Amino acid sequence: MKEKLLIHQEVNLPNAFDIKDFKLFYRDIDLFRLSKKQGTPLRFTYLPSILEKIDEMKSNFNKAIRKTSYQGTYTYYYCTKSSHFQHIIKKALQADIGIEISSAYDIDLIQSLIEDGHVKKGTKIICNGYKTSDYQRGIMSLIKQNHCAVTPMVDSPSELIYYCNNINSNTSLNVGIRVNLSFLSAYPKESRFGLSPEDIITCYQRDIKHNQQITLTTLHFFNENGLSSDDQYWDVLEAIVRFYCQLKRLNPHLTTLDIGGGMPFQSTANENFDIPYLVRRIVSTILGICQQECVPEPDIVTEFGKYTVAEATTTIFKIQEKKQGEKINWGIIDGSFITHLPDTWAIQQEYPVFAVNNLQEENRPFILGGLTCDSADVYPNVKEHKTVMLPHSDQEQFVAFMHTGAYQEALSGFGGVNHCLIPSPKHIIIDHSDNDELEFTTFSEKQTSDQLLQILGYR
């Protein structure tokens, strides 16, 4: 939405945020009041947002399928590496989705959710990534448990051989294979993931075609550049769909195309992706190529992580203004970008940034700095956008970084030792009660000095 604050001063706010009485609100929650009450740095996660994002994407795909008379189905998987926290995955599972995992330790995570009753029988599990011996054994244990519908995505020929040698005589196994995109001229970098098309065909002919227990049902790819309207993504998609058709003619049991993740989230205030258009183009592209190739269109699978959880979380800091010369206004946050929002430092990720209070004051350009003694602990950390616009005020000032729910706690090492001993922030969870009232729960308090000293061996 757009709010006019002062003459010639307009701001774009992401959905769910609003301005009242010159303060920032999130779904009718006064963020200035919340910051004062809970203290900063503060992270809050609004769990219903996760269900909203999933439902929105399911609706987009189902509408596109109906409109084009597409004969395949759509299945939404949540990519756990975006956020492994129980409250996140538990909420996502309420939307009747599949789960995508990527390491041996994810197996124990799934087992815990099964034991607690959050993963119902028949839940679909995709196992991605390079498979260590521990990971392979964990996958086989999940398969033998027969609670979930487990599909390993084969990433190397040796992994497929392992399944062939270890599957029980009374067990059947559906597998997928990931395509390595390095063979494509439209994909200009080497990839360590998956198998080349030639190796996929070889593995199918040698290890699967005449195997009565293992069925190749899924072809998987992931464009690491993400999903966009650029020609590069669609050139890759077309090439993979044509290979799917080639493989389908060899293997009639192939039914599913897993296009991975990469659906964008709103990472700056001015971005406005036409996600329904992207979905319609995915469906129509796959349909058109399959019709040209005279091959039945596949069931479509996606693995969305950032899209699912990023917009559920906001991180709030208090800042103090520090004047450096005549040109630059510095705002020093009471935290660290390297510690609390490591993507801003590691991959120059941007987020929508907005002042929480004092919105009646005139905006000025600021560079924000963290508390560490590191020159890279700044925001923005990109050449194209050197400042953020924030109020200049003599009053205390809070600033909100929106859509920070994916990867940040995992990358910074939640509960561990951070750069310059900057403590992990307080994190609260917001959900609806059975009476549809807002419930605020403290997930973790701000890390204490004693906790840090214990980790370091001083206690």
Side-chain angles (χ1 to χ4, degrees):
M1 64 162 291
K2 249 183 194 181
E3 279 288 335
K4 191 156 186 177
L5 302 180
L6 297 170
I7 298 174
H8 308 306
Q9 182 180 334
E10 288 185 340
V11 294
N12 293 302
L13 282 174
N15 291 335
F17 288 88
D18 199 0
I19 296 170
K20 300 176 184 178
D21 300 324
F22 300 108
K23 293 182 291 185
L24 186 64
F25 281 69
Y26 176 80
R27 300 177 188 261
D28 293 327
I29 300 170
D30 184 336
L31 297 188
F32 178 65
R33 183 178 178 185
L34 184 71
S35 302
K36 294 281 287 181
K37 179 179 179 180
Q38 300 290 346
T40 56
L42 175 68
R43 286 171 64 87
F44 71 85
T45 298
Y46 180 74
L47 292 181
S49 169
I50 293 168
L51 299 181
E52 292 172 4
K53 299 297 287 186
I54 295 172
D55 289 343
E56 176 185 300
M57 188 57 65
K58 284 183 175 182
S59 176
N60 286 331
F61 267 97
N62 290 332
K63 286 178 181 176
I65 285 171
R66 287 195 301 270
K67 187 173 183 179
T68 59
S69 298
Y70 190 94
Q71 295 304 299
T73 63
Y74 170 67
T75 304
Y76 190 112
Y77 284 74
Y78 170 61
C79 171
T80 60
K81 66 177 179 284
S82 295
S83 178
H84 284 100
F85 289 105
Q86 192 217 39
H87 54 266
I88 297 291
I89 300 178
K90 185 174 127 183
K91 179 61 69 171
L93 284 166
Q94 293 177 13
D96 191 24
I97 61 169
I99 294 293
E100 184 260 348
I101 65 176
S102 55
S103 79
Y105 291 97
D106 276 318
I107 302 293
D108 294 330
L109 181 152
I110 296 297
Q111 290 286 11
S112 176
L113 288 167
I114 291 173
E115 292 167 7
D116 291 341
H118 301 307
V119 175
K120 64 184 180 182
K121 189 172 178 61
T123 296
K124 296 178 180 179
I125 306 290
I126 285 175
C127 305
N128 262 327
Y130 184 84
K131 314 300 190 302
T132 63
S133 57
D134 286 345
Y135 193 7
Q136 290 174 347
R137 286 192 294 270
I139 290 170
M140 290 306 301
S141 71
L142 268 185
I143 292 167
K144 292 173 183 177
Q145 187 178 355
N146 198 31
H147 184 85
C148 299
V150 181
T151 302
M153 290 293 171
V154 172
D155 193 68
S156 66
S158 61
E159 178 189 346
L160 181 58
I161 295 299
Y162 174 85
Y163 302 136
C164 292
N165 292 339
N166 288 274
I167 193 76
N168 290 338
S169 58
N170 60 347
T171 303
S172 60
L173 174 62
N174 291 334
V175 300
I177 296 183
R178 179 168 180 170
V179 186
N180 184 299
L181 299 182
S182 300
F183 77 100
L184 295 171
S185 59
Y187 196 79
K189 61 181 180 179
E190 285 295 318
S191 173
R192 71 182 187 276
F193 302 107
L195 287 73
S196 68
E198 294 80 7
D199 286 341
I200 290 174
I201 292 173
T202 297
C203 286
Y204 169 73
Q205 300 279 18
R206 183 189 65 206
D207 303 316
I208 299 177
K209 184 175 182 179
H210 302 293
N211 192 317
Q212 299 300 309
Q213 295 173 269
I214 297 181
T215 304
L216 175 59
T217 62
T218 304
L219 185 68
H220 169 47
F221 83 99
F222 175 50
N223 190 333
E224 296 173 54
N225 295 325
L227 218 161
S228 72
S229 57
D230 294 342
D231 290 342
Q232 190 267 354
Y233 180 85
W234 305 103
D235 291 344
V236 170
L237 178 62
E238 178 177 350
I240 296 302
V241 176
R242 293 198 183 279
F243 176 62
Y244 173 91
C245 294
Q246 177 187 353
L247 189 59
K248 173 72 172 179
R249 284 190 281 267
L250 294 173
N251 170 28
H253 300 291
L254 189 67
T255 60
T256 304
L257 180 64
D258 180 350
I259 68 173
M263 186 63 73
F265 73 102
Q266 189 175 9
S267 59
T268 68
N270 295 320
E271 281 181 319
N272 187 19
F273 295 102
D274 190 345
I275 290 180
Y277 163 76
L278 292 176
V279 171
R280 290 194 301 271
R281 189 169 176 184
I282 289 170
V283 173
S284 61
T285 298
I286 297 172
L287 175 62
I289 295 170
C290 287
Q291 289 176 338
Q292 292 173 15
E293 298 278 351
C294 298
V295 168
E297 51 265 42
D299 296 332
I300 299 173
V301 161
T302 61
E303 306 166 359
F304 292 141
K306 275 188 178 181
Y307 167 85
T308 309
V309 298
E311 296 180 17
T313 297
T314 296
T315 304
I316 301 176
F317 302 103
K318 185 177 179 179
I319 67 170
Q320 289 189 325
E321 187 172 343
K322 182 181 181 184
K323 190 72 174 176
Q324 295 288 88
E326 295 298 322
K327 296 182 178 179
I328 298 176
N329 291 294
W330 280 89
I332 308 301
I333 66 171
D334 57 350
S336 163
F337 296 107
I338 294 175
T339 293
H340 299 144
L341 299 176
D343 267 356
T344 64
W345 164 71
I347 60 172
Q348 289 75 54
Q349 177 69 56
E350 293 181 85
Y351 295 102
V353 182
F354 200 76
V356 169
N357 60 315
N358 297 321
L359 298 181
Q360 75 277 11
E361 303 292 346
E362 182 181 0
N363 276 348
R364 293 187 182 180
F366 278 80
I367 300 174
L368 300 180
L371 291 178
T372 70
C373 53
D374 195 314
S375 60
D377 195 2
V378 297
Y379 186 90
N381 207 340
V382 292
K383 295 179 181 178
E384 296 83 2
H385 304 92
K386 295 184 179 180
T387 60
V388 294
M389 300 301 292
L390 295 172
H392 171 68
S393 174
D394 294 331
Q395 306 298 315
E396 61 180 350
Q397 182 67 57
F398 296 91
V399 60
F401 282 72
M402 306 164 182
H403 303 170
T404 58
Y407 293 106
Q408 299 317 292
E409 287 163 308
L411 292 176
S412 63
F414 176 77
V417 175
N418 295 308
H419 184 39
C420 287
L421 297 187
I422 303 297
S424 297
K426 185 173 185 177
H427 191 165
I428 61 174
I429 308 299
I430 306 173
D431 204 351
H432 287 153
S433 69
D434 293 338
N435 298 325
D436 204 31
E437 296 179 351
L438 288 179
E439 287 185 334
F440 294 78
T441 304
T442 298
F443 177 71
S444 61
E445 295 286 357
K446 183 177 178 180
Q447 203 173 23
T448 67
S449 177
D450 280 345
Q451 290 170 331
L452 292 172
L453 291 175
Q454 184 173 359
I455 294 171
L456 291 168
Y458 291 95
R459 292 284 188 268

